Amino acid sequence: MLPCVRAPMSRAFSTTRACAKHIPLQSAVLMSRAPVVLQEPSALEREYYRFNTELSHRIQQPFPRDHYFKKGSAAESRFEDYYAKLQKSWDGDELLKSGANASSTSEASGSDSDMFTTMPRTTEADAQHDTRSLERALDRTLYLLVRNTKADTKGLPWHLPTKNVPHPITSTVSLHSVGMEAVRDALGSMMDTWLVSKLPIAVIPHGVHDAKTYVVKAHILAGEPVPVEGVDYAWLTREEIAQRLSEEGSANAKTYREIVLDLLDA
């Protein structure tokens, strides 16, 4: 709400006060889930790491085998087998395969080898394209979008969790608190979230009566959304959000899409 301003004096010692119009404000939350695993390296990154690994092995001092392994022991034999394969290939995938073969020929039990089993990078949620699951796209940042599915408002586009700032504004009302209320009102309170900052990271103009939407940023740390009736939600990557926030529509929708996409990580 804009403050009341003093109008120009019409005559000496006489003033009138004109109160400015109320500007509708909204608060939205950009809720994200950080990546769980590292992204797959590109071809350039693989070659860079391979070259540096080979270079470091070639210039290092010879490994003192006699100091660490007893002559003719099983440990020395396993090391010699591993080191011979290491000299043949510096590819990380080959090293993993050779390590698996070495462990299969060792005297270690199956229960011990299971302790070092690598979890797959793709999950069942990826296979089913379950956009409601947080166990998908583990190497990407996911962002929360919601949609109203009620019969009388069916077809509303996807958007960030948003709530109108109450009017008049009191000392207990803030943009970040209203934004987090929007998340709780739509998706319950079963999520453990962390507000990055109380200051907004972006302002989205509506173009109608100078209305604005202030965006604050938050992360989900644990828990799952429990949507209320008539609310749908999805955890999406940047590319998926670009598809959900269609370019078709009014100028306000296009502005909303452009500003939101600028806030997302690649």
Side-chain angles (χ1 to χ4, degrees):
M1 181 182 67
L2 295 179
C4 293
V5 296
R6 187 180 297 274
M9 290 187 295
S10 58
R11 60 179 184 273
F13 308 109
S14 176
T15 60
T16 59
R17 294 181 62 84
C19 189
K21 63 180 181 180
H22 166 60
I23 298 179
L25 301 179
Q26 291 181 326
S27 181
V29 176
L30 182 66
M31 184 73 68
S32 63
R33 188 225 64 187
V36 179
V37 299
L38 294 176
Q39 289 189 359
E40 286 282 2
S42 63
L44 176 62
E45 291 172 333
R46 283 183 177 274
E47 179 60 23
Y48 174 81
Y49 293 134
R50 187 205 62 80
F51 172 79
N52 280 275
T53 303
E54 181 177 358
L55 181 63
S56 64
H57 279 275
R58 291 187 182 277
I59 65 177
Q60 70 182 358
Q61 294 294 328
F63 183 74
R65 296 176 174 82
D66 297 339
H67 182 75
Y68 292 97
F69 303 110
K70 183 179 178 179
K71 193 68 175 178
S73 64
E76 184 187 32
S77 176
R78 289 195 299 268
F79 175 79
E80 292 291 349
D81 181 59
Y82 166 77
Y83 196 75
K85 294 177 180 178
L86 184 66
Q87 298 295 327
K88 295 180 181 179
S89 174
W90 300 99
D91 184 58
D93 295 336
E94 292 295 329
L95 293 179
L96 291 176
K97 293 177 182 177
S98 65
N101 294 335
S103 63
S104 63
T105 58
S106 66
E107 299 177 357
S109 62
S111 60
D112 293 337
S113 61
D114 291 342
M115 294 175 59
F116 305 100
T117 302
T118 304
M119 297 296 294
R121 297 179 63 90
T122 57
T123 63
E124 184 178 353
D126 289 315
Q128 299 179 357
H129 195 62
D130 183 8
T131 57
R132 282 194 165 198
S133 175
L134 285 167
E135 301 297 326
R136 63 180 297 266
L138 300 181
D139 60 343
R140 299 291 304 277
T141 302
L142 297 182
Y143 299 94
L144 178 65
L145 289 187
V146 297
R147 181 171 64 97
N148 197 323
T149 60
K150 290 183 179 179
D152 55 345
T153 56
K154 190 174 183 179
L156 283 178
W158 291 88
H159 59 279
L160 302 176
T162 306
K163 186 175 181 179
N164 294 328
V165 177
H167 175 72
I169 299 177
T170 63
S171 58
T172 60
V173 175
S174 59
L175 290 175
H176 66 275
S177 63
V178 174
M180 298 308 292
E181 286 178 5
V183 177
R184 290 191 295 268
D185 292 346
L187 303 174
S189 57
M190 299 303 294
M191 293 186 295
D192 185 9
T193 59
W194 172 57
L195 188 68
V196 175
S197 174
K198 295 181 179 180
L199 299 177
I201 60 174
V203 181
I204 305 176
H206 291 192
V208 179
H209 304 300
D210 295 327
K212 298 179 178 65
T213 297
Y214 291 86
V215 182
V216 295
K217 190 173 184 179
H219 295 307
I220 180 170
L221 304 179
E224 288 283 350
V226 182
V228 299
E229 184 180 358
V231 173
D232 191 13
Y233 71 93
W235 294 99
L236 306 172
T237 62
R238 189 182 191 278
E239 294 77 13
E240 292 168 340
I241 290 179
Q243 296 176 357
R244 299 289 179 103
L245 301 180
S246 176
E247 294 182 350
E248 300 178 358
S250 62
N252 290 337
K254 294 181 180 179
T255 302
Y256 187 93
R257 180 180 186 273
E258 293 175 359
I259 294 178
V260 170
L261 291 180
D262 285 341
L263 301 176
L264 310 182
D265 296 332

